[in-house]
Amino acid sequence: MSGSPAGRVAFVLKGYPRLSETFIAQEIAALEQRGLQILIVSLRHPTDARRHPVHAEIRARVAYLPEYLYQEPFRVLRAWSRVRRWPSYRAARALWLRDLARDPTPNRVRRFGQALVLAAELPADVRHLHAHFLHTPASVTRYAAQLCGLHWTGSAHAKDIWTTPEWEKREKLASCDWLVTCTAANRDHLAALAPPGRVELVYHGLDLARFPPLPAPPTAARNGSDAGDPIKILSVGRLVEKKGTDVLLEALARLPPELHWRLVHVGGGPLKHRLERRARALGLADRIAWRGMLPQQELLEQYRSADLFVLASRIARSGDRDGLPNVLMEAQSQGVACVASDLPGIGELIENGVTGVLVSPGSAAALAQALAALISDPARRRELGAAGMARLTASFALEPNIARLASKFGVPAAA
């Protein structure tokens, strides 16, 4: 898109609102402030009971597609009855059938049904479609764009890149106008599959107005020697394989008994009960607080009271992996020293030994060694925390990154 946008842009999301996808909400809010008119289209209804403050700031209307086609059969049939008469229907159906032959799954059928509803119900003032995530949202967006004769663009992040087949990535990248992604590692991978100039790096960035630093940096000198004043270790992430929380538990079990610590974990997910059982088996249960999902203000309080932040990400068996987790930037915004896995995206934020500590993914021994060293050295933690905050402010603030994205939508870079 170039020049001023004509009409609204429909942002197609997998689910909205979601506590775990603050970066999408902050992006939408920032683009609205710059004048972009947005319609949010969600493939799923919300499951989180709470919301972040940024969700209340977003003015865009939200349209929910049928999450499962059998739940709203008459809505799907009405959409099909209308759209099948359009001149574009035959080509869109042929595109979907080619995809279905290579991916004969109920998911593929559902995405075309959702695209039919999106196309049939799309308001006339929507002139462009934008998919957040390259897997299912991009499938719905691509089919709907074909049906409506509209251009589409996308944002790719982590799981959606590494669990999507190469043939599908190639075809989607050939079809869209442009695509942005949040790490250089992602960009290099996708650019090799795309036409020249199609893929661009735009970091999510962190809105430092929402994560302001403490007026006075904490001066706590906990070193793990006092059982009455243990080190607070914080970890934030969904309880799924790629986050490596099981590795973190194994690392904590290896720490010397004379070190006193307490882990606070924020985030929910399908492995919650399994990990709680593992913590009990390791004898760690009384030293761990599982907080579940928290809204942004309560999460900020957790960062501010933490002595050390840890994220034990790894590549899951499915190929899923983190890009550049926003929680690392959030921790650094509060001057908290970070220990994380040495994965490509994370290495773009954290320079080992300078702005944090990186360890081999999946290595409980290496993680335990790094934790033990930092628990007993508060001066080193403060040094790493200050350097991380400076690096974040210089290169990963929201404003310069959202300005680049705004220009791609044809809206002014400044609010």
Side-chain angles (χ1 to χ4, degrees), residues 5-152:
R8 282 188 289 176
V9 177
F11 274 47
V12 182
L13 314 180
K14 194 167 187 179
Y16 180 86
R18 284 181 166 178
L19 286 176
S20 62
E21 295 177 357
T22 319
F23 62 94
I24 295 178
Q26 91 173 356
E27 175 185 299
I28 291 173
L31 289 171
E32 281 191 332
Q33 290 171 9
R34 286 159 175 77
L36 188 65
Q37 300 297 310
I38 296 172
L39 169 69
I40 297 172
V41 178
S42 178
L43 309 187
R44 292 181 177 176
H45 289 269
T47 56
D48 298 326
R50 307 173 76 177
R51 299 187 179 195
H52 294 304
V54 66
H55 290 128
E57 300 171 17
I58 291 172
R59 302 184 302 273
R61 185 173 73 84
V62 184
Y64 290 98
L65 299 178
E67 191 163 333
Y68 294 96
L69 304 187
Y70 69 84
Q71 294 174 332
E72 299 184 70
F74 295 110
R75 186 180 176 195
V76 177
L77 285 172
R78 283 196 303 270
W80 174 75
S81 179
R82 179 183 179 188
V83 172
R84 65 188 291 263
R85 297 181 174 88
W86 295 358
S88 58
Y89 176 75
R90 186 184 295 273
R93 180 176 179 272
L95 170 63
W96 168 64
L97 288 174
R98 287 196 301 273
D99 290 348
L100 184 64
R102 292 171 289 188
D103 177 34
T105 62
N107 177 68
R108 185 65 61 177
V109 176
R110 183 161 69 249
R111 300 315 167 199
F112 189 65
Q114 290 176 316
L116 292 173
V117 174
L118 174 56
E121 299 179 1
L122 194 69
D125 67 329
V126 172
R127 307 306 303 160
H128 185 85
L129 305 179
H130 183 79
H132 255 292
F133 296 106
L134 193 54
H135 52 359
T136 50
S139 294
V140 174
T141 302
R142 183 186 180 201
Y143 299 145
Q146 177 77 34
L147 288 165
C148 297
L150 297 177
H151 292 269
W152 74 279

Side-chain angles (χ1 to χ4, degrees), residues 237-241 265-275 292-293:
R238 294 191 68 236
L239 295 171
V240 294
E241 183 184 359
H265 182 277
V266 175
L271 299 183
K272 180 176 185 290
H273 298 302
R274 183 188 303 178
L275 291 165
M293 300 292 290

Side-chain angles (χ1 to χ4, degrees), residues 280-366:
R280 288 194 293 269
L282 291 169
L284 305 177
D286 61 346
R287 305 173 80 172
I288 301 176
W290 304 93
R291 296 296 190 203
M293 300 292 290
L294 293 179
Q296 201 167 67
Q297 188 56 44
E298 293 180 32
L299 180 56
L300 178 58
E301 293 169 4
Q302 294 292 340
Y303 288 125
R304 288 179 167 180
S305 62
D307 297 295
L308 186 59
F309 184 87
V310 59
L311 190 66
S313 305
R314 64 178 172 198
I315 299 175
R317 285 165 291 184
S318 66
D320 188 13
R321 68 198 71 178
D322 275 334
L324 202 173
N326 275 42
V327 295
L328 289 170
M329 292 189 282
E330 292 169 1
Q332 287 188 332
S333 75
Q334 303 308 302
V336 184
C338 294
V339 180
S341 299
D342 191 7
L343 293 173
I346 293 173
E348 295 172 41
L349 174 70
I350 295 179
E351 182 181 353
N352 187 35
V354 178
T355 60
V357 174
L358 298 178
V359 299
S360 297
S363 175

